[in-house]
Amino acid sequence: MIKLMNKEIFKRAVEENPFETINKIVYDLMYDAIIKLDFLPGEKINVAQIANDLEISRTPILEAIKQLKQNGVVLSYENKSGYYVSYLDIADFQSVHFSRRMLESHAVYLYTKYNPTVRFDELKEAAEEFYKAFTVGNYRRIADLDNFFHNLIVEECDNDYIKSMYKGIEKKMSRYIQFSTAILGKTPSALSARASQSQHLAICNAIEMKLPDLAKRAMEEHMDTVSQGLFLHVKDFMYIKDNEIEH
């Protein structure tokens, strides 16, 4: 697996964003690394190691961590030195899921009603690849395809308000999805998540038949299945880690 916090990726980010501050670039890379599980929940952040890997001073890293703390992604403890990736929060997850379910079900309704042929071939291909990825147990691929599938529907729903609200929860949502797929198959709760394997195809079938109400129901069913699996994964992880934390 390619780590997101390395010299080559950092230099490329600087080149691609010449007007952005180093602090912001480091922040974005660290946030993405947390979402992609290069830094696991509860892991201590090694500032010196990151500075060495990126060949920069510790100052922009500490500034990025300060902002990550404000966003609740990084924590510090009174009785422990350093900074730690925050644990996943069940109440927060439930709020994010409620918002996601509402936005995506309406997005797919609008997409099916007004734009059912726009990039549909891409959508169906992603659904088919998603099914195959489950079959072979390629969980990182599952997360990437899931993200592409759902984002495409929102992007092409032709409603700027839905798109704007969705963007507001996107990174939080990605963290829960990436975490869940990373441990998929390692816990008994993986069985509920596997039920979603064919549901992307069911959504595509409803879109292809140009039945917006059916597409909306299929998305709601998919969201509920995913929610059940994700909730169990987050719950399992928090139970284990809460008993391992030294307070």
Side-chain angles (χ1 to χ4, degrees):
M1 181 175 66
I2 298 173
K3 294 289 184 180
L4 297 177
M5 297 295 294
N6 64 50
K7 182 175 64 176
E8 289 72 24
I9 290 177
F10 173 69
K11 285 185 175 180
R12 189 183 312 133
V14 172
E15 291 170 359
E16 292 173 355
N17 301 275
F19 303 108
E20 196 63 85
T21 66
I22 296 299
N23 290 0
K24 179 62 165 58
I25 290 172
V26 173
Y27 168 83
D28 287 340
L29 288 177
M30 291 188 71
Y31 204 139
D32 286 343
I34 289 169
I35 287 174
K36 296 288 186 180
L37 298 177
D38 280 354
F39 298 125
L40 294 172
E43 181 179 344
K44 185 175 182 178
I45 297 173
N46 190 329
V47 176
Q49 184 63 56
I50 295 173
N52 182 67
D53 290 345
L54 303 187
E55 296 185 356
I56 59 175
S57 73
R58 298 186 185 191
T59 302
I61 299 166
L62 292 171
E63 287 298 318
I65 287 174
K66 185 186 299 183
Q67 189 174 352
L68 290 167
K69 280 187 66 180
Q70 292 175 350
N71 293 341
V73 180
V74 169
L75 301 172
S76 60
Y77 301 98
E78 291 184 3
N79 61 336
K80 299 170 74 173
S81 63
Y83 303 95
Y84 299 80
V85 177
S86 64
Y87 291 97
L88 301 173
D89 182 272
I90 290 177
D92 182 65
F93 158 71
Q94 290 173 325
S95 295
V96 170
H97 165 70
F98 176 83
S99 302
R100 184 188 183 195
R101 185 183 191 274
M102 178 180 63
L103 292 170
E104 290 199 32
S105 62
H106 284 84
V108 78
Y109 177 91
L110 294 173
Y111 175 73
T112 305
K113 187 169 185 177
Y114 299 112
N115 298 317
T117 61
V118 175
R119 299 179 66 191
F120 179 74
D121 290 344
E122 294 178 57
L123 191 73
K124 190 163 187 178
E125 182 180 359
E128 291 169 349
E129 290 299 316
F130 182 82
Y131 187 93
K132 293 175 185 175
F134 258 107
T135 302
V136 299
N138 187 343
Y139 300 119
R140 177 65 70 132
R141 178 74 170 146
I142 288 169
D144 291 341
L145 288 165
D146 185 73
N147 183 64
F148 177 83
F149 182 88
H150 290 278
N151 272 281
L152 191 155
I153 289 172
V154 173
E155 286 170 11
E156 302 300 340
C157 76
D158 205 26
N159 186 298
D160 289 339
Y161 294 103
I162 288 178
K163 288 188 272 189
S164 176
M165 288 185 284
Y166 193 78
K167 193 167 184 63
I169 64 169
E170 191 172 11
K171 283 200 170 182
K172 269 286 186 72
M173 186 173 64
S174 294
R175 189 179 182 204
Y176 291 112
I177 293 170
Q178 290 285 351
F179 174 78
S180 180
T181 52
I183 63 171
L184 196 60
K186 297 182 181 179
T187 68
S189 59
L191 294 174
S192 60
R194 288 179 185 276
S196 70
Q197 181 177 3
S198 61
Q199 288 176 335
H200 280 196
L201 290 170
I203 293 167
C204 283
N205 290 339
I207 295 170
E208 194 167 21
M209 290 187 290
K210 300 181 181 179
L211 299 173
D213 288 314
L214 181 61
K216 183 173 184 287
R217 287 196 300 273
M219 180 64 79
E220 289 171 341
E221 181 180 344
H222 176 53
M223 289 290 98
D224 291 341
T225 300
V226 170
S227 173
Q228 182 184 13
L230 284 172
F231 177 79
L232 289 170
H233 289 166
V234 173
K235 179 183 175 184
D236 290 344
F237 184 81
M238 288 186 69
Y239 174 77
I240 294 169
K241 290 301 180 184
D242 283 348
N243 283 278
E244 291 178 354
I245 299 173
E246 296 178 5
H247 294 293

